[in-house]
Amino acid sequence: MPMPRVRLPQFRLKLRLAFCLHALLCAALLAGGACAAAGRDKDDKKADSKEEGAHRFALIGHSVNDGGEKRLKKAIDETDDKTTAFVVVTGIKASTEPCSDKLYQQRRALIDDAKRPMVVLPAGSDWTECRNSAGRSNAIERLNRVRELFYGEPSSLGARKLAVTRLSMSPRFRSYAENAHWLVGKVLYATVNLPANNNHYIMEAGRNSEYEDRLVANRFWLNRLFAIAKRDKLEAVVLFSEGDLKALSQPTGFRALLRRAVPDNDGFAETRRQVMALAQKFPGKVLLVDTARLAKGVKPAIEWRGNVGHLSTGTTALEVAVDPGAKALFKLEQAGP
């Protein structure tokens, strides 16, 4: 039986059309999958970005150290949360404890054993109130010893390290390693050595060399911090100190000029004026955190005046949640279970 005749041109044309349709269908399916994957990647990146921006940090106020090593250890345990980016510890000892190398080394070991990154800020009782065997001030020598033990590396203490930039990296201010800054998300954090006992301003005849030299170093440091924040378009600057600058009570207008014309013995006056002037030119938030004691019955709270906020930790360990997407960038919480 003869085979049916096939018209080759028509057969080839149909074959090509079928192949083209198949290719178009595959391309559409692949494109759909790629779009879906791209959509998932975009959502994942948004989620990751939100996670990177939102974080938490903890604070251990200096007054906690009045209870000795046991209370300090308890405060460290209370701030041991996996969601905590870092912990700031103000002060390593109480004024009633000795200014000995042995005690400094014990506190260094205790803080370095903590699981979270630990940033230590010196308190006045760590150095300004120290005396030698003859009863004379031993402040500068003890401060230098604290610097050697706690600030010799470009990182925090603790089992998990947090990279920090120290003022001592500037050749002119190699001594001031306790002043450090670091970045989490779009927030710049920094420590400033401002001890609570009137910033170690000594009201005696002669040149107050330690206070004046540190004032110059802190002035340079603050200018640098706000220059970085403005350059990188950061959302906030957070400054940690032991002493309360009382920035929210800084007078304005004619009262400010009058007060400047009449010198007083306020060791924080110049730094307070500088911080407020820098904050006025900064578009983001400025949060000042210190360890001043609170009046009886008063709980820690963040108080705002314009873009400047103030928080005193008092005698408790605290946590602060930072969420760029929330109405309040900083939210105060109690540390521990």
Side-chain angles (χ1 to χ4, degrees):
M1 182 177 177
M3 297 291 293
R5 296 179 63 186
V6 179
R7 295 181 181 179
L8 290 177
Q10 291 183 359
F11 176 76
R12 288 173 181 170
L13 179 61
K14 290 180 180 180
L15 186 62
R16 287 176 182 174
L17 287 174
F19 178 78
C20 289
L21 288 173
H22 178 74
L24 288 172
L25 180 60
C26 289
L29 290 172
L30 287 172
C35 291
R40 287 194 298 271
D41 290 343
K42 190 174 181 181
D43 291 340
D44 290 343
K45 287 180 180 179
K46 285 182 178 179
D48 291 342
S49 177
K50 186 177 180 181
E51 288 176 3
E52 289 177 4
H55 59 278
R56 302 161 67 86
F57 66 87
L59 307 161
I60 298 178
H62 172 248
S63 52
V64 170
N65 294 327
D66 290 348
E69 192 162 307
K70 184 177 179 181
R71 190 173 179 191
L72 177 59
K73 186 177 186 309
K74 182 176 182 294
I76 292 174
D77 291 340
E78 288 176 349
T79 56
D80 179 21
D81 190 319
K82 291 182 179 180
T83 62
T84 302
F86 61 88
V87 180
V88 174
V89 183
T90 304
I92 59 173
K93 74 176 199 68
S95 58
T96 55
E97 294 180 300
C99 299
S100 65
D101 279 9
K102 181 180 179 181
L103 186 137
Y104 290 163
Q105 290 165 349
Q106 287 175 345
R107 298 296 156 83
R108 157 77 195 231
L110 173 64
I111 294 171
D112 211 17
D113 283 342
K115 296 178 181 178
R116 302 296 109 202
M118 309 294 284
V119 179
V120 178
L121 172 66
S125 64
D126 299 336
W127 61 282
T128 65
E129 301 171 13
C130 295
R131 301 279 173 178
N132 60 22
S133 57
R136 296 176 182 174
S137 175
N138 200 24
I140 297 177
E141 190 277 334
R142 288 290 84 187
L143 176 57
N144 288 333
R145 185 58 175 145
V146 169
R147 285 166 171 163
E148 290 174 2
L149 288 172
F150 288 86
Y151 309 109
E153 302 169 4
S155 64
S156 66
L157 299 181
R160 285 182 56 201
K161 303 300 182 184
L162 176 70
V164 301
T165 300
R166 300 195 181 279
L167 177 54
S168 55
M169 294 178 69
S170 299
R172 186 182 172 191
F173 302 105
R174 290 196 182 279
S175 299
Y176 298 88
E178 69 273 21
N179 285 359
H181 74 71
W182 61 99
L183 187 69
V184 182
K186 298 287 285 183
V187 180
L188 181 67
Y189 296 94
T191 54
V192 189
N193 189 356
L194 298 166
N197 54 344
N198 200 29
N199 201 17
H200 198 218
Y201 178 88
I202 301 173
M203 294 176 284
E204 296 176 358
R207 182 171 178 263
N208 189 350
S209 59
E210 191 287 318
Y211 165 81
E212 293 174 7
D213 290 345
R214 186 164 38 81
L215 193 65
V216 173
N218 285 341
R219 186 187 305 128
F220 172 87
W221 183 239
L222 290 167
N223 284 331
R224 180 177 174 180
L225 293 173
F226 279 87
I228 292 172
K230 289 179 70 175
R231 180 197 67 196
D232 296 343
K233 298 180 181 179
L234 301 180
E235 296 186 7
V237 174
V238 180
L239 302 177
F240 301 100
S241 66
E242 186 205 6
D244 180 4
L245 288 178
K246 299 189 182 300
L248 300 191
S249 60
Q250 170 73 14
T252 57
F254 178 73
R255 288 180 60 204
L257 293 175
L258 182 63
R259 186 165 181 175
R260 186 174 299 183
V262 181
D264 55 23
N265 297 319
D266 183 355
F268 296 110
E270 182 173 335
T271 303
R272 178 172 59 248
R273 286 193 291 265
Q274 181 190 6
V275 168
M276 294 305 290
L278 291 169
Q280 287 178 357
K281 298 176 182 179
F282 179 60
K285 299 286 187 181
V286 179
L287 179 61
L288 309 177
V289 183
D290 58 67
T291 62
R293 291 183 181 272
L294 301 172
K296 188 176 181 180
V298 176
K299 295 183 178 180
I302 300 177
E303 181 184 358
W304 292 94
R305 190 176 89 179
N307 70 325
V308 179
H310 172 247
L311 167 65
S312 288
T313 61
T315 60
T316 56
L318 303 173
E319 289 185 354
V320 177
V322 185
D323 187 354
K327 185 176 181 181
L329 179 59
F330 301 101
K331 183 181 179 182
L332 189 60
E333 298 177 357
Q334 197 76 22

